[in-house]
Amino acid sequence: MPAGLCLLIATMLWGSSFVALKFAIDLYDPHVVIFFRMLTTLILCLALFRYTKRFTYQQGDLKYLLAMSLAEPCLYFLFEGHAIEYTSASQAGVIVACLPLIVALLAYFLLKERLSKSIVSGFTLCIGGSIALTLLSPSSEQAPNPLLGNTLEFLAMICAAFYTISVKRLATRYSPLALIGVQGLSGSVFFACFLPFSDFPDFSVLNQDAVLSILYLGSIVTLGAYGLYNYAISRVSVLTAAAYSNLVPVFTLLFSAVLLAERLNLWQWAAIALVFAGVAISQRHKEVHLLEDTPADSELTATQP
């Protein structure tokens, strides 16, 4: 499957995940929701053991595996799970637009990728738009505390950026399904530690739609989206892969409007436009990079860390 198509489907699934997660967390404790989501993923990976067992550890990869697991699913879902408690699915989706710019900064410091004025200007506009979205968003039933929720979602994006950098190293050495199995195991163990302090639902009167949302998150989203993303990132640069996350807010707003009947006011739309303006400006970095550099060094190859 072409890498671009994989990334397109992955971003669509991630866009829908905000709606499913919002619905489940409105009814159940975030730690319980994320634990059963990761447990679902782990069970599916065990069911596909004949494929996930193809994991041969290669020396020097431990730090990347730990960084990947700690960044996502552990800290990422911890921040995002609580973010969805306090902000709307549509606002959380817009914060995702900052991810490519955060990845660009990490690529500069960790992978020595050159940054242009375009990427810096775009980053400034994107962060400014996210702050404006937070401050201009009124409290509502869907977003009781948007300031806290959007801040937590931004921290989740930092974790996602570290995940992208780590997977770039690992995706060429391990199969996508094997990496998802590692995530399912680490996520299940991590969130199991929170269960003694969480409010468990009454299993005799479970909400069917919430249960289906958790199963959807643990199977279709985690297994499907992450599998496609891990596959694609082994064939394209980290900045190319991260750029596709700009589509996540579009899908999130669409799914939120259709399924949650969420509406944004004029000022919120203006802040969203500012975010997308920053993202658009940042894309000029890619064009200049390709024009100024030779084909060999215009982007990271799949074999580079």
Side-chain angles (χ1 to χ4, degrees), residues 113 168 232-233 235-242 286 299-302:
E113 281 282 283
K168 181 60 184 178
I233 204 172
R235 287 158 173 76
V236 297
S237 72
V238 290
L239 295 182
T240 299
K286 180 180 177 182
E299 65 175 25
L300 291 174
T301 63

Side-chain angles (χ1 to χ4, degrees), residues 145-214:
N145 191 340
L147 176 60
L148 176 59
N150 291 346
T151 300
L152 291 172
E153 185 62 31
F154 184 74
L155 292 175
M157 289 305 101
I158 295 177
C159 295
F162 275 101
Y163 169 82
T164 299
I165 298 296
S166 300
V167 169
K168 181 60 184 178
R169 163 79 178 192
L170 298 170
T172 58
R173 302 160 74 85
Y174 305 97
S175 72
L177 195 57
L179 293 178
I180 293 174
V182 172
Q183 290 180 273
L185 177 60
S186 60
S188 298
V189 173
F190 181 81
F191 285 98
C193 299
F194 292 92
L195 294 182
F197 312 100
S198 305
D199 296 325
F200 267 84
D202 185 353
F203 290 104
S204 63
V205 287
L206 289 176
N207 183 285
Q208 180 179 356
D209 292 336
V211 172
L212 290 176
S213 295
I214 295 173

Side-chain angles (χ1 to χ4, degrees), residues 228-248:
L228 291 170
Y229 185 83
N230 292 348
Y231 169 81
I233 204 172
S234 67
R235 287 158 173 76
V236 297
S237 72
V238 290
L239 295 182
T240 299
Y244 274 82
S245 64
N246 298 330
L247 297 175
V248 173

Side-chain angles (χ1 to χ4, degrees), residues 3-4 18 31 34 64 99 174 176 204 213 233 247 250 274 277 290 295-296:
F18 285 96
H31 301 131
I34 303 301
Y64 294 102
L99 178 59
Y174 305 97
S204 63
S213 295
I233 204 172
L247 297 175
V250 176
L274 187 61
L290 290 175

